[in-house]
Amino acid sequence: MDARDERLDPVRSFTLTSFRLEEERWLQFVSEEETQVIFSTFFNTPDYKNLFLCQDPEDGGLSVDLDPPKNVQTKVICVSRSGREVITRENVRKILIIQEVEGEDAKSFIIAVSEEVTCPLLINPETSRRWVVGLAEEALRSTEQQRNEALVMEAQMEGGTFLTYPDALHEDQLHGNTFTDDTEEGKLSHTKLLYSCDTTITEWVKLVSDFLQQDSSQPVLDGLDPLPSEEFNFWRTRLKNLHLIQQQLRSSRAQQVVSVVQRADSVYWSSLRDLYSEVQEGLDEAQDLTVNLDSVQEKLEELEQMDYQQLGDNMAALMEEVRQLWIRSEFYRRPCRVVVLLQEICNLFIQMSRRFLHEEEVMSGLGSDSGPRLDDVTLVIWTLQTLKEEYRRCRTQLEQDGDTHNWDFPSNLVFFNLDHFLLHLQSIQEVFSVSLKLHKLDSAVLSGVGGRMWTDVVQQVYQDFLGHVIVLCDSTCDPTDPEDQSFQLHLNHFWFQVSDLERRLVSVLSRAFEDCCTSSSGAKLVKMFGFLLDRPLIQDQLRPHLTRLEELVLEELDQTEVLFYSEREEPNAFSRFTPSAAAGLCWTQQLRLRAENSLDHYRTLQQLDLDSGASQLVLQRFQQIVDLLQDFTDRVRSSWSSLLDSDCEFILKQPLIQNNLPGMLGVNCSHTIQGLLKELRYVSRKSDVELRPHAARLFTCRDDITQSCLSLSHMVSCYQQVASDVLPVELPLIRDQLQDLNQNLLELQGYTWNSEGVQQLVEQKRERLLLVHSSVSRARANMAAVTRVTQEWAELHLLQCSGDSLLEVSDTEQTYRRIREEGEEVLRLTQVNRSLYGAEVSSESWIRYLDHIDDQVQDGLFQLVLRSLTVLLDNMNPQSCSVFLTVSLQLQETGSVFEPSVGDGLSDLLQSVYSAASLPLRVSERRHGNYQVSLQQSPDLSALEQEVMHRLLQVKEEAERLSAGLDRYAYLWQSDRREVMQEFLTYSRQLGDEEVEVEEALPTLKDFQRETEQRGDSPG
């Protein structure tokens, strides 16, 4: 057929307009060989009534077919012929019917054309009169067959089954008496009708039989992986279709067919009755299964809405629903059907698992943090294995019930796909597990000789491993698809590379284990690389080294036993700072800990499952050492308990206080008590040491005894402070109190540590002693304050030199105010001490105490005056470079004058120094006059004062000599310099006061020499 065939013109113009195509696209389409064959078949073969053209929505290409298109949502061009003639150029526009319909309406268009156009034309006698005899009937039969095929196809596409009716069964025959017509024409019509009904029954039986033979297991048999939703949809669609078939079989036209074959006693009548029975049985089955599958469907839909982490906990409920389905449904209690359902459930969980693992992205976490991905894969494996475990549980429960059929079919029929998927996931899990282990090599550091070199080798292995991981991560295949063989190839290559890396690690670890000389170092190495030592290849190669570590453990246990026998008889070998028994127990505990450490090192090796046979030997050796140490410990505890009881008995009988030295008291056995209490506290933490009666008594009263010992120590300390640090003038004031305290302490010597009420008695005596100690301590503190004040007076500066100025009184008023205030404070403290001592004002002891304080005050003031006079002397020393008094020499008309006068104010300065001693009031009541009078009578201070006046007299004499010497040259500052020079130049000399008229004479060189020498001798 040529692309330019005129018969294509109507189709071409309609198609170009409908699809809005260009002419070139149409020419390209009809030039294809397959297109030309289809068009030629339709035009030249009257049996093909329809032709369909549609357009691909993606690339816009055209397609043509003689059958209605399926699953087409776009518009379709339907080309139908209205007669059985061959289509030619002449009749093409008369016989063709072209219409545009939607894709799903193409079959409806065929049916409509057949029912409304073609069949009425063929039935009309006026139309078929010119045709050959029988041609109209054949055309009508062909058209009705085409219509029936379209109806059947439409029903099938909608999931239903359409039962066609006989062609000869028209409306005029539904009400006529065809079977009573004995004419030749009537018999012929009856024969045609019966034949048509028999043919229709045959078609019905075939259609229904084909439909009933459909089974939900067909996708499984076809090698597909259906989901439970397909099972549920299958039975729901089957129920709907059986309702449709039953409705068609009960229609009036179907009943007419029944009537025809029943009257004619046709051989197909039995087939028709069987058809009705089969449809009813199928309907009952579909209704039962649809109802019972609802609970399983609801549970599965609920599981699909859950997070994947919750699926494992709900597997039991799901399998229980399946088990109840097996029990409730008679029609589902067949192994083939429950196997199919379980396979579909497995397929659903496989799909959910792949979706949870993100399929192609599973291996993305292998290169960095593979922990979360490993957790996800492990969770999926656990979830699927939980499904299998719940299946086995339900199967066992059915066997135990005994009142229903068992699941005696092989389990591999159910879990074939699931087991295959699990094996695939387990290989992925192993990849992640090994990857997670090898990632730890990044932080592995080996020590010892050559440790740096071997660490570098390990790091290089780690870098090579990262390279292999990147290659595996970059693969584009789906790791979760068990059918994807390309991933298996990548996986095999990865395991080959890992094996090579493991061999390199074996060489490093072999050298590291050779350097281990103790089991602890070997155990550390095992812990460091334990994540690799369970790998079969590495463990097999390192087995000799690991066996050697077991031998080291046995050697260390032997050394522990040797150490015990060698040091157990040495009393000082344990500790110098703890009781010998306690030290012995601690030593045995350390030995036991040492043995336990060796055993722990061995248990670290045991985790590798070496099966060397040394386990029993190590445990026996360890138990021997433990028994040996336990026996020694028991003997030490028994001896310690006896010795401790005898010591406690001795202590409890000792008095509380004893005389250590003459006049010195002390707490009896205080250090011994502390040592025993320390031992008892140690024993209290050791429940296996027996406390005998006296030790138990001391331990029970330990708090009271400790408190009493502390109180007694405090009392003795306070008593010693009061008695030992007493001043001679203070002793008469506190003699009665000391005697009272001494008497109280002596009373305590009559009590022992075992006496009743010791603590209360000690507290009573302690309160009295503390009152005396407090009063005496405060009085002595006040005396120390007085002493400190008087000593600070000696450090005060009444005089100081300020730069080049005269000697000045420094902060006189502030210093005097301080001395006055501190003197008043001394008097106040003295009165406080009188009240603390409880002394009488007129008592001789108190008067002597006041005289003692008065002496301290007077001594402080003496040191103050002495310091000031010493400053004067130091600054008046001729060898001193410091400036004492600054006096300026004034040249006046009357002569040289000192301002101020030398020595002015020195007497007042001395008087102000002595006046500081008059500021404090007198402390002693029987000494008269103030402290200034006493100090001025002091020979030492008087001698210093006379020395100061002597040095002042010397300075005055020297100043007077200096002034007299300068007066000879008074003319130098009394005369005018210009007038003197003019007189020299005029008279060659200086004129006297009485010379009035003198002859002028010019000066000579000798005159100049004379004057120069005279001027040079002058002090100016």
Side-chain angles (χ1 to χ4, degrees), residues 625-641:
I625 295 176
V626 169
D627 294 341
L628 186 65
L629 295 176
Q630 187 63 41
D631 180 66
F632 179 78
T633 300
D634 294 340
R635 286 187 283 108
V636 170
R637 286 172 182 162
S638 178
S639 175
W640 187 18
S641 177

Side-chain angles (χ1 to χ4, degrees), residues 77-94:
I77 296 177
C78 296
V79 182
S80 302
R81 65 169 75 211
S82 59
R84 288 186 58 81
E85 298 91 350
V86 175
I87 299 175
T88 62
R89 291 181 299 173
E90 290 77 13
N91 65 0
V92 62
R93 296 187 181 276
K94 296 180 181 180

Side-chain angles (χ1 to χ4, degrees), residues 447-655:
S447 58
V449 180
R452 180 63 181 273
M453 179 184 65
W454 297 119
T455 300
D456 293 340
V457 174
V458 172
Q459 293 303 314
Q460 185 59 45
V461 170
Y462 175 68
Q463 295 300 326
D464 295 344
F465 162 72
L466 291 181
H468 301 323
V469 167
I470 292 174
V471 173
L472 186 61
C473 292
D474 292 342
S475 61
T476 58
C477 50
D478 183 5
T480 62
D481 185 5
E483 305 301 328
D484 191 351
Q485 297 299 323
S486 59
F487 175 74
Q488 190 62 39
L489 296 177
H490 286 290
L491 202 59
N492 293 337
H493 180 70
F494 175 77
W495 286 125
F496 176 78
Q497 299 294 343
V498 168
S499 299
D500 180 66
L501 296 178
E502 289 178 348
R503 294 186 186 92
R504 292 165 60 184
L505 288 174
V506 165
S507 63
V508 176
L509 295 178
S510 297
R511 184 59 181 271
F513 278 113
E514 289 175 359
D515 295 338
C516 294
C517 56
T518 61
S519 63
S520 61
S521 59
K524 290 179 181 178
L525 193 60
V526 170
K527 290 180 180 179
M528 183 182 298
F529 292 96
F531 57 90
L532 289 175
L533 295 179
D534 59 347
R535 298 287 299 165
L537 187 148
I538 295 178
Q539 189 176 112
D540 291 342
Q541 297 294 327
L542 297 179
R543 187 176 297 275
H545 301 287
L546 298 176
T547 304
R548 176 176 166 272
L549 292 180
E550 294 178 346
E551 296 173 355
L552 286 177
V553 172
L554 290 172
E555 292 177 3
E556 291 176 357
L557 291 176
D558 293 338
Q559 292 174 1
T560 303
E561 184 179 7
V562 172
L563 181 63
F564 170 76
Y565 282 116
S566 63
E567 296 187 3
R568 66 174 178 173
E569 301 300 336
E570 298 181 12
N572 298 324
F574 307 141
S575 175
R576 297 181 180 179
F577 306 103
T578 57
S580 58
L585 294 177
C586 182
W587 178 70
T588 55
Q589 183 66 25
Q590 291 174 357
L591 289 180
R592 177 164 185 161
L593 182 61
R594 179 174 177 174
E596 289 176 350
N597 289 335
S598 299
L599 184 63
D600 292 339
H601 299 157
Y602 177 73
R603 285 172 178 166
T604 302
L605 299 176
Q606 269 189 318
Q607 297 175 0
L608 303 177
D609 297 330
L610 299 177
D611 296 332
S612 61
S615 176
Q616 192 65 27
L617 180 61
V618 171
L619 293 178
Q620 290 178 357
R621 197 75 186 89
F622 172 76
Q623 191 60 43
Q624 291 175 1
I625 295 176
V626 169
D627 294 341
L628 186 65
L629 295 176
Q630 187 63 41
D631 180 66
F632 179 78
T633 300
D634 294 340
R635 286 187 283 108
V636 170
R637 286 172 182 162
S638 178
S639 175
W640 187 18
S641 177
S642 176
L643 180 61
L644 189 62
D645 188 71
S646 62
D647 291 342
C648 290
E649 182 182 6
F650 172 77
I651 288 297
L652 290 173
K653 295 179 179 179
Q654 297 300 310

Side-chain angles (χ1 to χ4, degrees), residues 723-854:
S724 61
D725 298 335
V726 64
L727 296 173
V729 296
E730 183 188 15
L731 182 59
L733 297 174
I734 62 173
R735 181 177 288 111
D736 295 339
Q737 295 174 343
L738 285 176
Q739 291 177 355
D740 184 41
L741 294 179
N742 192 24
Q743 183 63 31
N744 289 332
L745 291 176
L746 291 176
E747 290 179 5
L748 293 176
Q749 291 182 346
Y751 291 87
T752 64
W753 293 106
N754 199 28
S755 300
E756 296 293 337
V758 170
Q759 185 178 4
Q760 292 78 7
L761 179 62
V762 169
E763 290 299 323
Q764 293 175 2
K765 303 294 183 182
R766 179 171 172 267
E767 292 178 0
R768 171 60 183 161
L769 188 146
L770 290 180
L771 288 175
V772 175
H773 177 264
S774 176
S775 299
V776 173
S777 297
R778 289 176 58 192
R780 289 177 180 176
N782 292 339
M783 176 61 77
V786 171
T787 303
R788 184 171 59 254
V789 168
T790 57
Q791 290 175 352
E792 289 176 355
W793 285 350
E795 302 295 330
L796 293 177
H797 297 279
L798 292 176
L799 301 174
Q800 70 174 7
C801 289
S802 177
D804 295 334
S805 63
L806 291 172
L807 189 67
E808 298 177 351
V809 178
S810 172
D811 299 330
T812 304
E813 294 300 328
Q814 182 178 358
T815 303
Y816 286 178
R817 184 169 55 253
R818 174 180 175 181
I819 294 173
R820 186 182 300 110
E821 293 175 354
E822 290 180 349
E824 295 174 355
E825 179 66 16
V826 168
L827 289 176
R828 189 189 67 80
L829 294 176
T830 302
Q831 295 303 318
V832 171
N833 282 3
R834 187 182 68 81
S835 63
L836 291 174
Y837 287 129
E840 295 293 336
V841 177
S842 59
S843 63
E844 182 63 25
S845 59
W846 177 247
I847 292 174
R848 285 198 299 271
Y849 186 78
L850 292 180
D851 291 343
H852 174 74
I853 298 176
D854 188 81

